Amino acid sequence: ISASETEHIAAIEVSGAMRGTRLRADELRLTVREVAVAASGNVRFSGDWPLDLKLEWSLVNDPALSGSGTASGSLEQLSLEQTVQLPESVNLKAQLSDVWSKRSFDVTLNAPANQTVTINDFTLTNPEARITGTFDTYDIQAKASVSSTQLPDVIRFSATGTGSNTLLSVTKFTAETLNGEIELAGLLNFDTLELEADVVTRDLNLTSFDPRLPDDLGARAQLIGQLPERINVAFESLTGTLEAVALSGSGGLEWTNETLRAQQFALNAGTNSARIDGLVWPQLAADFALNLTEPGLLIPDAAGRLFASGRVGGSQTAPEISVSARGDELMWASIRIDTLSLDASIAGEGAID
């Protein structure tokens, strides 16, 4: 071990027998970097310190996070096989090479066969991960199926990326869910939690949220923000179909301090279009415009042309609307309006549906 490398050990207890440079430890206990370690086995204090130990450990501040298994090889070429409690069991295999000089490692994590791992409300099935590199930079590969009461569908994902002490770069994240696919690539700063990512979705079926929503949503967007307070989604494209009507969209959405704002968000259905810009949740303060040239594409038995614009304010439960509308040859069911000209301000209580 290089004399320039130091490590503070808070406490150490050992019982066993010493023969020359060889220690047979019946019990070895030490605390280092907030980790309590208990071991038994053989260590030779010469060369690169070869060892063969049974090893148990736990976090001092969170004893529920613990592990047990073996450590073999040497301090320079260390091989670990552990069962880690999270609190469920996860198998860990690690190869640490040139620990004190190059500080490199190769770590594999997976759950025992036919066993899931639950973290908070999320359940992981067949999770696998491999991390290789050094303590300064490393490569990551991971895959699993994730389910939760907070998710509308199971998510089956795989991911590759690189990381450092301060930055995670996701080279490619692919997830299958809602009968479609999501792809993501981007950066996350661990210190500031700033996020920047490009996202592509294909054929997402949103009818589990509402049967009126598209069943083949596709999008290309950029995410920029700082977790968890601010996320900005800028759509380069938004496509899909709604009851055989082609949809397209553009604009952005911004989540800031538990408020949602539309940024020139526009949606087209056939030749019909709608646009909204401003605060949309939980308070309302937004300008809107509506252009219906083929209302029958959206509302059965509807016909005519309607153009409306205005502003909505107040809240979801007590909205205030000012609107200017013009229309001609409007028809719906038994209602017919040859010409419509409306300027109105509406204030009342009741949720917007």
Side-chain angles (χ1 to χ4, degrees), residues 15-44:
S15 62
M18 190 81 175
R19 298 289 186 272
T21 60
R22 178 176 175 270
L23 170 67
R24 188 193 77 247
D26 298 322
E27 184 177 40
L28 171 65
R29 295 184 178 275
L30 58 89
T31 301
V32 57
R33 291 196 179 188
E34 303 302 322
V35 179
V37 179
S40 62
N42 300 304
V43 180
R44 186 177 295 278

Side-chain angles (χ1 to χ4, degrees), residues 46-300:
S46 63
D48 57 0
W49 290 29
L51 52 85
D52 183 7
L53 298 172
K54 291 182 179 180
L55 191 66
E56 296 181 357
W57 58 269
S58 63
L59 296 187
V60 173
N61 297 325
D62 187 6
L65 181 55
S66 60
S68 62
T70 62
S72 59
S74 68
L75 288 186
E76 283 296 311
Q77 303 290 332
L78 186 61
S79 177
L80 296 175
E81 292 194 15
Q82 294 279 301
T83 298
V84 183
Q85 304 296 326
L86 293 175
E88 288 84 356
S89 296
V90 175
N91 295 327
L92 178 149
K93 290 186 178 181
Q95 299 291 330
L96 289 83
S97 303
D98 301 321
V99 176
W100 302 102
S101 54
K102 297 180 181 178
R103 299 168 65 86
S104 62
F105 57 84
D106 185 339
V107 177
T108 300
L109 289 161
N110 57 59
N114 302 317
Q115 182 172 321
T116 61
V117 175
T118 301
I119 303 175
N120 296 327
D121 190 36
F122 296 88
T123 299
L124 281 68
T125 304
N126 299 322
E128 296 181 16
R130 184 181 181 188
I131 307 172
T132 61
T134 70
F135 291 99
D136 297 318
T137 60
Y138 47 86
D139 296 324
I140 303 172
Q141 298 177 4
K143 65 179 181 178
S145 295
V146 183
S147 60
S148 170
T149 57
Q150 302 181 37
L151 299 173
D153 190 20
V154 174
I155 299 176
R156 292 166 292 276
F157 77 87
S158 63
T160 59
T162 61
S164 66
N165 294 329
T166 59
L167 191 67
L168 174 64
S169 173
V170 179
T171 307
K172 185 175 183 180
F173 174 94
T174 302
E176 296 179 357
T177 187
L178 298 172
N179 297 326
E181 187 178 67
I182 301 172
E183 288 187 3
L184 180 149
L187 300 172
L188 174 64
N189 188 306
F190 293 131
D191 290 337
T192 63
L193 292 183
E194 292 178 309
L195 170 70
E196 182 175 332
D198 294 319
V199 181
V200 177
T201 70
R202 301 182 184 90
D203 298 323
L204 296 184
N205 187 337
L206 305 184
T207 56
S208 58
F209 297 101
D210 189 317
R212 296 170 294 182
L213 293 177
D215 62 2
D216 61 347
L217 183 68
R220 185 178 296 274
Q222 184 178 46
L223 274 64
I224 299 176
Q226 185 172 27
L227 301 175
E229 292 85 6
R230 177 175 58 85
I231 293 291
N232 184 289
V233 184
F235 291 100
E236 297 179 18
S237 64
L238 187 64
T239 60
T241 56
L242 183 63
E243 296 184 353
V245 178
L247 300 178
S248 64
S250 61
L253 297 171
E254 183 180 61
W255 173 264
T256 305
N257 297 324
E258 299 186 354
T259 64
L260 181 63
R261 179 180 298 274
Q263 298 176 317
Q264 296 293 335
F265 186 79
L267 188 63
N268 306 307
T271 60
N272 303 299
S273 64
R275 178 186 58 81
I276 188 165
D277 183 58
L279 192 63
V280 294
W281 192 91
Q283 298 299 113
L284 302 172
D287 297 317
F288 68 88
L290 183 66
N291 185 344
L292 296 180
T293 56
E294 295 180 284
L297 294 177
L298 304 175
I299 305 172

